[in-house]
Amino acid sequence: MRRVLLGLACLAGVAGADARTPAAPEAPRLALTLRPGLAGDGGAIGHVDVTLALDAARAAAGEPLVQLPHVIFNVETVATDVADVRARDAHGALPLAMRDSGGGDEAVRAWIPARPPEGTVTIRYRAPITGRTASRGAAPPVELRSEASAFSGAGMTFLLLPPDQEARYRLSVAWDLSGLPPGAVGVSSLGDGDVAPVAPQPSARLARGFFMAGAIGHYPERAGGGAFFSAWQGAPPFDARALMEWTARLHARYLSFFRVGEAQSYGVFLRHNPVNAGGGVGLAGSFVATFGPRTDPDDLKLTLAHEMFHTFAPSIAQPAGLESSWFGEGLAVFYQRVLPLRFGMIGVDEFLADLNYHAGRYYTNALGDAPNAEVPRRFWADTRIRTLPYDRGSLYFAVVNDSMRKASGGEKSLDDLLLAMVERERAGRRLGNADWEEVLREALGEDAVAQFRAFLAGRPPLPASDAFGPCFRRTTRPLRRYVLGFDPEVLTAPRRIVRGLIPGSAAEAAGLREGDEIVRPVPQDGIQGNQTELLRLRIRRDGREFDLSYLPRGEVVDAYQWERVPGVPASACAI
């Protein structure tokens, strides 16, 4: 969604320069052209023809030229569906052999050239849009999807790219919309229409980008320059333009909060989600938000505040992956309500509802004391583990924020620690837990470091009654634990066959049986935080399909919540 257009490099020498000094080599070109086409019946978009032009392609004998995982973030890619992959280089046709490596979720399909390529290599293939929903359960909305006279999908699910995705190129994205009806528009995470960033970027920028084209809505009405834009596929059940105007204002406030100098653009994509409406995923310089027929735009505001925060916030890279998600996701949940309240963009009731949603989900979580090291292994398999980085992380940061404010007499807060980590990252440092411990130790002493290590070991954080300012106080409410009623790993399998049914559970009482097949994917993260929402299953048993629903709840526990302090005005509620 970048609006930066490609500028031609000036290769002329500078007067007075030493002609013997070699110029820095120009980054090779990686040019992507996308041509969506209609299905045979002339209705929906049925495929995307992809052309990739790659300068200085490197592939030793027997090594991949391009590749695509079979599964990415629990989503099946088009790796096994792509048709007729062809390549040419300076010598003409370049034969490719297909090879699979790895297994299970680690499987990768690669295309191997018959000889070392020379010069510019052009690769062409067709990515069919199958229309499969996420068959493996919980997954981000990145799959290639055709709907409402448009298509969308993340590059990681349909782009064949060189194996080294950190290698830098002069990237470009071009759209050939001649196969679509008049008025079609193409937008990507790099920007509107045909775009190319000036500075070289890793090819991962394409893999982690989002692409949308066809009959789509747009904010601003038609893009020009600017730091924020949005595109949406289909007809959201709310005023998408008004929601995007709100998001654009928040984006501008984030730029100021994070002390951003030269602002890069940021984009939001909206599309329908038949499985887990209201969820989304953050990608490179962009966010994909989803909606359903009952989606409340006020709920989406906090989701957008969360994901846009990720664009500016630092991330801990050591340890890599989900083991460090407590930091990025915990910060984002904490600030998704704090900053909009501070900026006057949400009300006190919205703040309190979001705080209690996450607190309620955490303090009823039977796995709330699982060590952080368990998160990567069980993240996709169990919603109770998957929500820990968000819920437990945000409550931990509430404790730290409260400690900072009280230790400094209100002069400092978590903001200071966050910005200290931002500065370290901007200085080129690869952040790790040790960096967080250093800023903690400097601000709050060794006890804060010990508390952090206990948090990673699974100790539940408990913010003080007044941790969210004088406007709120802590209380308890009787809430019921989330209990799926059978082995949660069932929901991550391609065929969801019920096993591990818990005797006496609501699932058993509703009529679920061992060996039943759950036909449709099942969203859980939102239901886990909603005490009254039913879990609705489509069951296949003995060749017959039927619907079954139940309230997935178990024992009652006293869960911590917060409430308004009577008599304290709303003006005192910002923290």
Side-chain angles (χ1 to χ4, degrees):
M1 304 176 208
R2 286 6 186 184
R3 291 207 171 78
V4 184
L5 299 180
L6 176 64
L8 296 177
C10 179
L11 303 180
V14 179
D18 185 347
R20 295 170 296 177
T21 303
E26 186 177 39
R29 177 179 61 106
L30 197 166
L32 176 67
T33 301
L34 300 177
R35 187 180 189 277
L38 298 178
D41 60 7
I45 297 175
H47 63 267
V48 182
D49 288 329
V50 180
T51 302
L52 193 73
L54 180 63
D55 290 346
R58 305 176 191 88
E63 294 301 314
L65 177 63
V66 290
Q67 64 184 34
L68 183 66
H70 285 238
V71 175
I72 188 77
F73 299 130
N74 219 34
V75 173
E76 294 180 359
T77 73
V78 302
T80 59
D81 301 317
V82 292
D84 195 19
V85 181
R86 293 169 291 158
R88 297 185 65 85
D89 68 354
H91 298 292
L94 179 62
L96 299 175
M98 191 172 63
R99 183 178 73 196
D100 285 335
S101 61
D105 289 355
E106 305 300 320
V108 174
R109 177 156 291 185
W111 284 263
I112 317 297
R115 55 176 170 77
E118 292 191 26
T120 298
V121 176
T122 302
I123 302 168
R124 291 184 171 87
Y125 64 94
R126 173 165 290 184
I129 304 177
T130 65
R132 291 192 299 261
T133 56
S135 63
R136 300 165 57 88
V142 295
E143 80 280 3
L144 203 56
R145 171 92 63 78
S146 177
E147 197 170 35
S149 301
F151 93 93
S152 60
M156 64 184 73
T157 66
F158 74 99
L159 294 182
L160 311 186
L161 293 170
D164 182 6
Q165 291 193 6
E166 296 310 312
R168 291 182 173 269
Y169 297 88
R170 290 177 290 124
L171 301 179
S172 66
V173 173
W175 293 93
D176 177 354
L177 302 176
S178 58
L180 301 184
V185 175
V187 183
S188 74
S189 291
L190 272 76
D192 255 314
D194 298 348
V195 292
V198 174
Q201 297 193 32
S203 62
R205 184 69 177 77
L206 296 177
R208 298 168 189 158
F210 201 73
F211 301 82
M212 181 179 284
I216 60 178
H218 202 285
Y219 173 86
E221 193 67 42
R222 284 301 311 135
F228 177 87
F229 69 98
S230 175
W232 53 91
Q233 176 181 3
F238 49 79
D239 187 337
R241 192 167 305 281
L243 177 61
M244 291 304 105
E245 288 173 352
W246 182 93
T247 310
R249 294 197 305 274
L250 182 61
H251 180 265
R253 299 301 298 264
Y254 278 2
L255 292 175
S256 175
F257 175 79
F258 282 100
R259 305 168 187 172
V260 175
E262 183 178 354
Q264 293 185 329
S265 64
Y266 182 87
V268 171
F269 294 96
L270 297 169
R271 75 175 190 181
H272 174 250
N273 189 341
V275 177
N276 190 24
V281 61
L283 296 171
S286 56
F287 176 63
V288 184
T290 66
F291 58 85
R294 296 181 298 165
T295 298
D296 185 336
D298 287 337
D299 292 338
L300 269 184
K301 285 180 179 179
L302 294 180
T303 300
L304 292 164
H306 176 110
E307 294 300 338
M308 211 156 47
F309 180 89
H310 280 307
T311 298
F312 303 98
S315 60
I316 284 182
Q318 304 174 82
L322 291 170
E323 191 170 348
S324 293
S325 57
W326 65 270
F327 183 78
E329 299 301 349
L331 280 172
V333 171
F334 177 82
Y335 278 107
Q336 73 187 29
R337 52 179 173 261
V338 166
L339 291 179
L341 180 67
R342 190 184 298 176
F343 300 151
M345 298 185 67
I346 64 170
V348 173
D349 291 341
E350 293 167 283
F351 175 96
L352 188 60
D354 188 63
L355 168 60
N356 282 334
Y357 173 86
H358 289 278
R361 191 168 66 175
Y362 177 67
Y363 291 118
T364 58
N365 190 336
L367 302 181
D369 59 355
N372 188 69
E374 286 287 297
V375 169
R377 184 175 68 84
R378 302 170 64 189
F379 186 86
W380 294 112
D382 196 321
T383 182
R384 296 169 298 176
I385 293 293
R386 191 163 53 250
T387 55
L388 284 182
Y390 301 81
D391 301 339
R392 185 167 66 186
S394 65
L395 292 164
Y396 165 72
F397 284 116
V399 171
V400 175
N401 181 65
D402 186 46
S403 297
M404 287 288 293
R405 293 182 68 85
K406 288 173 179 174
S408 66
E411 295 297 316
K412 293 185 177 182
S413 69
L414 180 63
D415 297 1
D416 297 275
L417 305 187
L418 168 63
L419 294 174
M421 294 288 278
V422 167
E423 290 305 312
R424 288 182 178 222
E425 190 172 73
R426 287 176 181 170
R429 191 158 174 169
R430 192 166 181 262
L431 299 179
N433 285 349
D435 291 278
W436 178 244
E437 289 187 357
E438 285 179 13
V439 299
L440 271 180
R441 185 177 290 110
E442 182 177 347
L444 293 171
E446 203 61 48
D447 284 350
V449 174
Q451 291 168 9
F452 165 61
R453 293 174 181 173
F455 157 76
L456 290 183
R459 179 189 293 172
L462 179 58
S465 181
D466 62 348
F468 298 97
C471 190
F472 307 103
R473 65 187 179 192
R474 194 178 68 207
T475 185
T476 61
R477 293 197 184 112
L479 300 176
R480 298 179 67 189
R481 293 195 189 278
Y482 180 82
V483 178
L484 178 61
F486 55 91
D487 187 341
E489 292 195 16
V490 166
L491 297 180
T492 67
R495 285 194 70 213
R496 294 169 286 272
I497 306 300
V498 173
R499 65 179 186 273
L501 188 67
I502 299 175
S505 65
E508 184 191 53
L512 193 66
R513 298 291 178 261
E514 290 276 346
D516 283 349
E517 181 179 0
I518 299 172
V519 177
R520 296 174 185 154
V522 181
Q524 295 183 84
D525 297 355
I527 296 176
Q528 187 190 352
N530 187 323
Q531 288 280 308
T532 61
E533 187 171 354
L534 298 178
L535 191 69
R536 305 178 189 277
L537 305 178
R538 181 71 175 176
I539 300 299
R540 181 181 293 132
R541 181 192 299 164
D542 299 329
R544 182 174 65 93
E545 288 192 10
F546 57 93
D547 293 322
L548 183 153
S549 62
Y550 62 94
L551 186 65
R553 296 288 153 184
E555 68 174 313
V556 176
V557 296
D558 286 332
Y560 293 111
Q561 298 277 270
W562 273 260
E563 63 185 7
R564 288 287 301 274
V565 174
V568 178
S571 59
C573 293
I575 66 170

